[in-house]
Amino acid sequence: MIGPGRPQIVLFGSSIVQLSFSNDGWGAILADVYARKADIVLRGYYGWNSRRAIKVLDQVFPKDAAIQPSLIIVYFGGNDSMGPHSSGLGPHVPLPEYIENMRKIVTHLKGLSDTTRLIFLSCPPVDEVKLSENTSSIFSELVRTNELCRTYSEACVELCNEMGVKVIDLWTAFQKRDDWMTACFTDGVHLSGEGSKIVVAEILKVLKEAEWKPSLFWKSMPTEFSEDSPYDLVYTDGKTTLNPSDWTFHREIQWD
Protein backbone atom coordinates (compact mmCIF):
# COMPACT_ATOMS: atom_id res chain seq x y z
CA MET A 1 0.00 0.00 0.00
CA ILE A 2 1.39 3.36 -0.98
CA GLY A 3 0.58 6.49 0.94
CA PRO A 4 -0.92 8.79 1.83
CA GLY A 5 -4.05 6.73 2.29
CA ARG A 6 -6.98 7.83 0.17
CA PRO A 7 -10.61 6.71 0.10
CA GLN A 8 -11.09 3.74 -2.22
CA ILE A 9 -13.84 3.61 -4.82
CA VAL A 10 -14.15 0.06 -6.15
CA LEU A 11 -15.83 -0.75 -9.47
CA PHE A 12 -17.11 -4.35 -9.30
CA GLY A 13 -18.86 -6.10 -12.15
CA SER A 14 -18.69 -7.72 -15.56
CA SER A 15 -17.31 -6.45 -18.88
CA ILE A 16 -18.93 -3.02 -18.64
CA VAL A 17 -16.72 -2.61 -15.57
CA GLN A 18 -13.60 -4.36 -16.93
CA LEU A 19 -13.70 -2.21 -20.07
CA SER A 20 -14.44 1.02 -18.19
CA PHE A 21 -10.91 2.30 -18.77
CA SER A 22 -11.17 1.69 -22.55
CA ASN A 23 -12.75 3.88 -25.24
CA ASP A 24 -12.99 6.98 -23.01
CA GLY A 25 -14.68 4.78 -20.44
CA TRP A 26 -16.52 5.78 -17.31
CA GLY A 27 -13.90 4.29 -14.99
CA ALA A 28 -11.20 6.41 -16.60
CA ILE A 29 -13.38 9.51 -16.35
CA LEU A 30 -13.99 8.87 -12.66
CA ALA A 31 -10.26 8.35 -12.11
CA ASP A 32 -9.68 11.79 -13.63
CA VAL A 33 -12.50 13.45 -11.67
CA TYR A 34 -11.23 11.95 -8.40
CA ALA A 35 -7.53 12.55 -9.07
CA ARG A 36 -5.76 13.40 -5.76
CA LYS A 37 -9.02 12.72 -3.91
CA ALA A 38 -9.74 8.97 -4.10
CA ASP A 39 -8.31 5.88 -5.73
CA ILE A 40 -10.47 4.12 -8.31
CA VAL A 41 -9.93 0.36 -7.99
CA LEU A 42 -11.05 -1.88 -10.86
CA ARG A 43 -12.50 -5.33 -10.22
CA GLY A 44 -14.16 -6.10 -13.53
CA TYR A 45 -14.56 -9.57 -15.05
CA TYR A 46 -15.48 -9.99 -18.70
CA GLY A 47 -18.40 -12.33 -19.28
CA TRP A 48 -19.31 -12.80 -15.62
CA ASN A 49 -22.79 -13.16 -14.21
CA SER A 50 -24.11 -12.80 -10.65
CA ARG A 51 -23.67 -16.54 -10.08
CA ARG A 52 -19.91 -16.23 -10.47
CA ALA A 53 -19.78 -12.97 -8.53
CA ILE A 54 -21.19 -14.41 -5.31
CA LYS A 55 -18.54 -17.16 -5.36
CA VAL A 56 -15.70 -14.65 -5.04
CA LEU A 57 -17.23 -12.08 -2.69
CA ASP A 58 -15.07 -13.17 0.25
CA GLN A 59 -11.93 -12.97 -1.88
CA VAL A 60 -12.61 -9.64 -3.51
CA PHE A 61 -14.16 -8.07 -0.42
CA PRO A 62 -12.82 -9.84 2.70
CA LYS A 63 -14.69 -8.73 5.79
CA ASP A 64 -11.52 -8.78 7.89
CA ALA A 65 -9.60 -6.36 5.65
CA ALA A 66 -7.83 -3.62 7.61
CA ILE A 67 -9.18 -0.95 5.23
CA GLN A 68 -12.59 -1.18 3.60
CA PRO A 69 -13.73 0.72 0.49
CA SER A 70 -15.50 4.02 0.93
CA LEU A 71 -17.70 3.33 -2.10
CA ILE A 72 -18.45 0.26 -4.20
CA ILE A 73 -20.18 0.63 -7.57
CA VAL A 74 -21.67 -2.70 -8.68
CA TYR A 75 -22.86 -3.88 -12.09
CA PHE A 76 -24.13 -7.36 -12.89
CA GLY A 77 -27.12 -8.33 -15.00
CA GLY A 78 -26.31 -7.95 -18.68
CA ASN A 79 -24.93 -11.45 -18.97
CA ASP A 80 -27.49 -12.91 -16.56
CA SER A 81 -30.24 -11.55 -18.82
CA MET A 82 -29.07 -13.39 -21.93
CA GLY A 83 -31.41 -16.10 -23.12
CA PRO A 84 -30.69 -19.67 -21.93
CA HIS A 85 -28.59 -21.96 -24.12
CA SER A 86 -30.07 -25.36 -25.02
CA SER A 87 -26.99 -27.08 -23.54
CA GLY A 88 -27.47 -25.54 -20.12
CA LEU A 89 -24.10 -23.82 -20.49
CA GLY A 90 -23.58 -20.10 -20.81
CA PRO A 91 -24.08 -16.98 -18.71
CA HIS A 92 -27.88 -17.00 -18.40
CA VAL A 93 -29.20 -16.84 -14.84
CA PRO A 94 -32.97 -17.15 -14.30
CA LEU A 95 -34.55 -13.96 -13.00
CA PRO A 96 -35.49 -15.29 -9.50
CA GLU A 97 -31.94 -16.56 -8.97
CA TYR A 98 -30.48 -13.29 -10.26
CA ILE A 99 -32.53 -11.37 -7.70
CA GLU A 100 -31.34 -13.60 -4.86
CA ASN A 101 -27.74 -13.41 -6.02
CA MET A 102 -27.90 -9.63 -6.07
CA ARG A 103 -29.47 -9.71 -2.61
CA LYS A 104 -26.47 -11.72 -1.39
CA ILE A 105 -24.08 -9.20 -2.94
CA VAL A 106 -25.86 -6.29 -1.26
CA THR A 107 -25.89 -8.07 2.10
CA HIS A 108 -22.19 -8.95 1.95
CA LEU A 109 -21.09 -5.47 0.90
CA LYS A 110 -23.29 -3.77 3.49
CA GLY A 111 -21.54 -5.85 6.12
CA LEU A 112 -18.04 -4.62 5.28
CA SER A 113 -18.24 -1.48 7.41
CA ASP A 114 -20.64 1.18 8.62
CA THR A 115 -19.08 3.70 6.26
CA THR A 116 -18.91 1.65 3.05
CA ARG A 117 -21.43 3.14 0.62
CA LEU A 118 -23.01 1.32 -2.32
CA ILE A 119 -24.31 2.29 -5.75
CA PHE A 120 -25.73 -0.40 -8.05
CA LEU A 121 -26.09 0.02 -11.80
CA SER A 122 -28.96 -1.69 -13.58
CA CYS A 123 -28.76 -3.18 -17.09
CA PRO A 124 -28.50 -0.61 -19.84
CA PRO A 125 -30.43 -1.28 -23.05
CA VAL A 126 -28.79 -2.92 -26.05
CA ASP A 127 -28.84 -2.07 -29.75
CA GLU A 128 -30.14 -5.36 -31.13
CA VAL A 129 -29.36 -4.47 -34.76
CA LYS A 130 -25.73 -3.54 -34.12
CA LEU A 131 -25.38 -6.54 -31.81
CA SER A 132 -26.51 -8.94 -34.52
CA GLU A 133 -24.16 -7.32 -37.04
CA ASN A 134 -21.17 -7.57 -34.70
CA THR A 135 -21.74 -11.00 -33.19
CA SER A 136 -19.04 -13.47 -34.19
CA SER A 137 -20.01 -16.79 -35.75
CA ILE A 138 -17.95 -18.55 -33.05
CA PHE A 139 -20.85 -18.03 -30.61
CA SER A 140 -23.75 -20.47 -30.43
CA GLU A 141 -27.38 -19.47 -29.77
CA LEU A 142 -26.52 -15.99 -28.52
CA VAL A 143 -29.79 -14.39 -27.39
CA ARG A 144 -29.67 -10.81 -26.11
CA THR A 145 -32.68 -8.52 -26.36
CA ASN A 146 -33.65 -5.12 -25.08
CA GLU A 147 -36.77 -6.60 -23.49
CA LEU A 148 -34.70 -9.05 -21.42
CA CYS A 149 -32.46 -6.16 -20.34
CA ARG A 150 -35.52 -4.21 -19.24
CA THR A 151 -36.80 -7.08 -17.12
CA TYR A 152 -33.50 -7.56 -15.30
CA SER A 153 -32.98 -3.82 -14.95
CA GLU A 154 -36.37 -3.40 -13.29
CA ALA A 155 -35.63 -6.32 -10.96
CA CYS A 156 -32.33 -4.74 -9.90
CA VAL A 157 -33.94 -1.36 -9.25
CA GLU A 158 -36.78 -2.91 -7.26
CA LEU A 159 -34.41 -4.99 -5.12
CA CYS A 160 -32.15 -2.04 -4.34
CA ASN A 161 -35.11 0.13 -3.39
CA GLU A 162 -36.32 -2.65 -1.11
CA MET A 163 -32.89 -2.95 0.56
CA GLY A 164 -32.25 0.78 0.87
CA VAL A 165 -29.36 0.90 -1.60
CA LYS A 166 -28.67 3.65 -4.14
CA VAL A 167 -29.37 2.41 -7.67
CA ILE A 168 -29.07 3.96 -11.11
CA ASP A 169 -31.61 2.88 -13.73
CA LEU A 170 -29.34 2.80 -16.78
CA TRP A 171 -32.01 1.21 -18.96
CA THR A 172 -34.06 4.38 -18.63
CA ALA A 173 -31.15 6.85 -18.48
CA PHE A 174 -29.71 5.77 -21.82
CA GLN A 175 -33.01 5.97 -23.64
CA LYS A 176 -33.46 9.61 -22.70
CA ARG A 177 -31.13 10.29 -25.64
CA ASP A 178 -32.87 10.10 -28.99
CA ASP A 179 -29.72 8.71 -30.61
CA TRP A 180 -28.83 6.23 -27.86
CA MET A 181 -28.65 3.24 -30.20
CA THR A 182 -26.12 4.81 -32.55
CA ALA A 183 -24.16 6.89 -30.03
CA CYS A 184 -23.83 4.89 -26.83
CA PHE A 185 -22.27 1.54 -27.81
CA THR A 186 -19.20 0.21 -29.58
CA ASP A 187 -20.81 -3.11 -30.55
CA GLY A 188 -24.42 -2.87 -29.43
CA VAL A 189 -23.62 -3.87 -25.82
CA HIS A 190 -20.38 -2.35 -24.56
CA LEU A 191 -20.17 1.35 -23.96
CA SER A 192 -18.73 4.04 -26.19
CA GLY A 193 -17.40 7.27 -24.79
CA GLU A 194 -20.87 8.80 -25.11
CA GLY A 195 -22.44 5.91 -23.22
CA SER A 196 -19.82 6.24 -20.49
CA LYS A 197 -20.60 9.94 -20.10
CA ILE A 198 -24.17 9.01 -19.23
CA VAL A 199 -22.94 6.59 -16.57
CA VAL A 200 -20.61 9.20 -15.05
CA ALA A 201 -23.29 11.89 -15.02
CA GLU A 202 -25.71 9.57 -13.22
CA ILE A 203 -23.09 8.45 -10.66
CA LEU A 204 -22.04 12.03 -9.87
CA LYS A 205 -25.68 13.04 -9.51
CA VAL A 206 -26.22 10.34 -6.89
CA LEU A 207 -23.02 11.28 -5.05
CA LYS A 208 -23.91 14.98 -5.05
CA GLU A 209 -27.41 14.37 -3.69
CA ALA A 210 -26.53 11.64 -1.16
CA GLU A 211 -26.56 12.75 2.47
CA TRP A 212 -23.52 10.67 3.35
CA LYS A 213 -21.06 11.72 6.03
CA PRO A 214 -18.37 12.21 4.92
CA SER A 215 -19.50 13.23 1.47
CA LEU A 216 -18.08 11.27 -1.45
CA PHE A 217 -18.93 13.93 -4.02
CA TRP A 218 -15.65 14.96 -5.60
CA LYS A 219 -16.03 18.69 -5.01
CA SER A 220 -16.57 18.08 -1.29
CA MET A 221 -13.47 15.93 -0.81
CA PRO A 222 -10.04 17.28 0.11
CA THR A 223 -7.32 17.42 -2.52
CA GLU A 224 -4.07 15.72 -1.56
CA PHE A 225 -1.05 17.99 -1.01
CA SER A 226 -3.02 21.06 -2.07
CA GLU A 227 -1.11 23.67 -0.09
CA ASP A 228 0.34 26.70 -1.85
CA SER A 229 3.98 26.38 -2.86
CA PRO A 230 6.73 28.73 -4.05
CA TYR A 231 7.48 26.04 -6.65
CA ASP A 232 4.16 26.56 -8.45
CA LEU A 233 3.99 28.59 -11.67
CA VAL A 234 4.50 32.30 -11.13
CA TYR A 235 1.61 34.73 -11.60
CA THR A 236 1.88 37.78 -13.89
CA ASP A 237 2.68 40.02 -10.94
CA GLY A 238 5.99 38.21 -10.64
CA LYS A 239 5.54 37.88 -6.89
CA THR A 240 2.95 35.18 -6.25
CA THR A 241 2.39 31.66 -7.49
CA LEU A 242 -0.68 29.91 -8.91
CA ASN A 243 -1.83 26.76 -7.15
CA PRO A 244 -2.87 24.22 -9.83
CA SER A 245 -4.10 21.53 -7.41
CA ASP A 246 -7.75 21.80 -8.41
CA TRP A 247 -7.47 22.92 -12.03
CA THR A 248 -9.99 21.19 -14.31
CA PHE A 249 -9.69 23.18 -17.53
CA HIS A 250 -8.25 20.15 -19.34
CA ARG A 251 -11.58 18.31 -19.13
CA GLU A 252 -13.88 18.13 -22.11
CA ILE A 253 -16.81 18.23 -19.70
CA GLN A 254 -16.79 20.32 -16.54
CA TRP A 255 -18.48 17.79 -14.31
CA ASP A 256 -20.80 18.89 -11.53
Side-chain angles (χ1 to χ4, degrees):
M1 176 91 183
I2 60 171
R6 297 177 182 173
Q8 284 190 348
I9 298 175
V10 181
L11 314 182
F12 179 50
S14 54
S15 56
I16 282 180
V17 173
Q18 181 175 328
L19 302 181
S20 66
F21 278 73
S22 299
N23 301 312
D24 300 317
W26 59 279
I29 296 172
L30 288 177
D32 175 53
V33 170
Y34 279 87
R36 298 175 67 171
K37 295 174 181 290
D39 288 331
I40 308 298
V41 181
L42 189 64
R43 291 295 181 269
Y45 304 95
Y46 209 120
W48 278 37
N49 56 21
S50 64
R51 191 179 287 165
R52 295 187 75 176
I54 62 173
K55 292 181 179 179
V56 301
L57 281 175
D58 289 321
Q59 294 169 263
V60 179
F61 300 103
K63 290 191 174 182
D64 59 355
I67 299 175
Q68 295 292 359
S70 296
L71 173 65
I72 305 171
I73 301 176
V74 180
Y75 170 75
F76 288 101
N79 296 314
D80 300 67
S81 71
M82 292 175 65
H85 193 275
S86 58
S87 67
L89 300 172
H92 170 73
V93 174
L95 186 61
E97 182 187 346
Y98 168 73
I99 294 170
E100 290 311 305
N101 289 345
M102 297 300 280
R103 187 186 304 277
K104 291 174 183 176
I105 294 172
V106 171
T107 301
H108 181 91
L109 299 182
K110 273 188 166 185
L112 294 179
S113 79
D114 292 337
T115 56
T116 296
R117 311 303 184 186
L118 306 178
I119 299 175
F120 276 60
L121 309 178
S122 79
C123 286
V126 295
D127 178 355
E128 295 179 30
V129 174
K130 183 179 284 188
L131 181 61
S132 64
E133 292 173 350
N134 286 278
T135 298
S136 170
S137 59
I138 67 172
F139 295 114
S140 168
E141 300 179 36
L142 191 60
V143 178
R144 199 166 216 157
T145 70
N146 206 17
E147 179 60 20
L148 286 170
C149 290
R150 179 191 65 79
T151 302
Y152 281 68
S153 174
E154 290 178 354
C156 178
V157 171
E158 183 177 346
L159 174 68
C160 289
N161 289 336
E162 172 196 326
M163 300 189 74
V165 172
K166 303 288 187 185
V167 61
I168 295 170
D169 180 356
L170 290 183
W171 196 85
T172 299
F174 271 58
Q175 293 181 87
K176 290 178 181 178
R177 275 189 67 148
D178 292 337
D179 63 346
W180 67 270
M181 281 192 289
T182 56
C184 293
F185 306 103
T186 60
D187 56 5
V189 175
H190 299 106
L191 306 186
S192 66
E194 290 301 305
S196 281
K197 289 173 186 175
I198 294 174
V199 177
V200 171
E202 293 294 324
I203 289 172
L204 293 181
K205 179 182 177 183
V206 170
L207 291 171
K208 184 177 183 179
E209 295 176 355
E211 297 179 357
W212 290 333
K213 303 294 182 183
S215 173
L216 295 175
F217 181 56
W218 70 280
K219 287 187 176 180
S220 301
M221 299 175 72
T223 301
E224 189 174 276
F225 299 136
S226 60
E227 63 275 3
D228 292 336
S229 169
Y231 305 118
D232 288 334
L233 295 172
V234 181
Y235 189 58
T236 54
D237 64 6
K239 300 177 182 179
T240 55
T241 56
L242 292 169
N243 189 330
S245 300
D246 291 308
W247 286 356
T248 63
F249 62 84
H250 65 283
R251 292 177 185 158
E252 177 187 359
I253 296 174
Q254 294 299 309
W255 299 100
D256 191 20

